[in-house]
Amino acid sequence: MAAVIYSLCAITSGFCAWLLARAYFGSRSKLLLWSAICFAGLTLENAALWMDKIIFPQIDLSALRLSIGLLAMTVLLIGMVWEAE
C-alpha cells in the first residue's frame, strides 16, 4: 500500500510540474516558471522517497530527500520574493 501512495505522490507532483511548465510557455509568467521548478524538485523528492522506502530500505536517504525538498521550496521562495519586488 505504501508503494502505491509514494508512487501516486510522485506522479501527482510530476503532473503539476508539467502543467505549470505548460502554462509558463503559454503565458511567460515568471511565477509559473518558479512554481514549475519547485514542483519538479518535489517530484524528485518523492522519487527519492520511493527509492528510500521501497528499493533501498536498508539505506537511509532521508538527508538526501530533505535536501531536495528544501532546495525546491527555496527556489519557490526566491522566485516569489523576486517577483514581489
Side-chain angles (χ1 to χ4, degrees):
M1 186 67 179
V4 173
I5 293 171
Y6 298 148
S7 299
L8 287 175
C9 288
I11 291 169
T12 302
S13 58
F15 187 66
C16 289
W18 177 73
L19 286 175
L20 287 165
R22 195 177 82 169
Y24 166 73
F25 288 119
S27 69
R28 296 292 180 187
S29 171
K30 297 276 187 188
L31 191 56
L32 287 172
L33 176 64
W34 293 112
S35 299
I37 293 170
C38 174
F39 271 90
L42 293 177
T43 303
L44 290 176
E45 181 189 20
N46 284 319
L49 173 66
W50 188 81
M51 290 183 355
D52 185 20
K53 299 297 181 185
I54 305 300
I55 296 178
F56 307 113
Q58 68 278 7
I59 301 172
D60 184 20
L61 297 176
S62 61
L64 175 68
R65 290 187 287 120
L66 293 176
S67 299
I68 294 171
L70 179 64
L71 181 65
M73 295 309 291
T74 302
V75 166
L76 181 61
L77 181 63
I78 289 171
M80 291 176 77
V81 169
W82 194 335
E83 291 301 314
E85 293 179 355

